[in-house]
Amino acid sequence: MIDPVIEAKQLTLRISDKTIIDNVSFTLEQNKIYGLLGRNGAGKTTLLSLLAGFRNPTSGAITVNGEDVFENGAIVENISFIRDVKMDSDSDRLEDYLKGVALFRPHFDWEYAMNLVERFKLPIDSPMNELSRGMQSAAHVIIGLASRAPITIFDEAYLGMDAPARDIFYKEVLNEYME
């Protein structure tokens, strides 16, 4: 999948009797960085989960290069969706956690991941559940960047990071975009 184009056509999602997303249409062109702004509870994460193929819309469609995203392995393996998730129960060491993720990411760049581990100053032998929230956020950002997915979605992945870590994150996103 090279240079993906994402389209949402009359996208609607209802959960029980509540409409979360109502008749939304847009096109996202390739080789660009997009931002999604809105109030808490507006449906941003829900929209992103539809885009990543985690949910099926009630009606309408979301496609990548004309193909439906939901339950489409060929498309989904090319999407990296990174959310801020607290890893309270995962006792895998960071290195093992990254290796596990790499198994399911066909473009994963291990050398780049290890470079980012050093840049973020993360303890590679520490269990995920013993890392601070900011360090866990940095670990997730590493996964998003090192996955080298044609479509990478960061949903508030920077939460918990201190200012120097956020600076590294922003610079890496821009460097990857420029390359």
Side-chain angles (χ1 to χ4, degrees):
M1 171 189 301
I2 297 175
D3 297 335
V5 174
I6 302 164
E7 289 186 277
K9 297 177 185 169
Q10 299 175 320
L11 195 65
T12 297
L13 179 68
R14 291 185 186 89
I15 299 175
S16 298
D17 62 345
K18 186 174 182 183
T19 301
I20 310 298
I21 296 173
D22 190 18
N23 198 32
V24 172
S25 296
F26 58 84
T27 300
L28 302 178
E29 298 174 8
Q30 67 267 14
N31 299 320
K32 295 191 178 183
I33 296 175
Y34 291 91
L36 181 60
L37 303 174
R39 297 183 66 86
N40 291 335
K44 298 179 301 296
T45 296
T46 302
L47 177 61
L48 296 175
S49 69
L50 286 164
L51 192 145
F54 288 5
R55 290 181 175 267
N56 196 19
T58 305
S59 63
I62 191 147
T63 62
V64 172
N65 293 343
E67 292 188 50
D68 281 329
V69 174
F70 187 69
E71 294 187 346
N72 185 335
I75 298 295
V76 172
E77 75 178 9
N78 288 289
I79 299 173
S80 182
F81 181 35
I82 304 299
R83 296 176 36 200
D84 180 52
V85 178
K86 188 83 170 103
M87 308 283 294
D88 289 333
S89 60
D90 196 325
S91 60
D92 285 349
R93 294 177 323 116
L94 173 59
E95 182 175 20
D96 296 332
Y97 186 77
L98 293 173
K99 285 179 180 177
V101 169
L103 292 173
F104 299 98
R105 297 287 172 202
H107 311 290
F108 197 88
D109 184 339
W110 184 257
E111 185 177 325
Y112 182 45
M114 292 301 98
N115 177 274
L116 291 172
V117 165
E118 286 182 30
R119 288 206 59 210
F120 282 108
K121 298 180 175 27
L122 299 183
I124 194 75
D125 290 326
S126 291
M128 287 294 290
N129 60 0
E130 291 182 12
L131 298 178
S132 70
R133 179 175 178 179
M135 288 179 171
Q136 287 181 12
S137 294
H140 288 111
V141 161
I142 290 168
I143 291 166
L145 292 167
S147 290
R148 302 283 196 201
I151 299 170
T152 302
I153 303 165
F154 290 110
D155 183 10
E156 298 186 335
Y158 53 83
L159 294 180
M161 286 184 181
D162 57 21
R166 281 194 311 273
D167 186 58
I168 293 168
F169 169 53
Y170 299 144
K171 285 178 179 173
E172 284 299 320
V173 168
L174 288 175
N175 285 339
E176 288 300 302
Y177 173 70
M178 298 305 285
E179 286 182 23

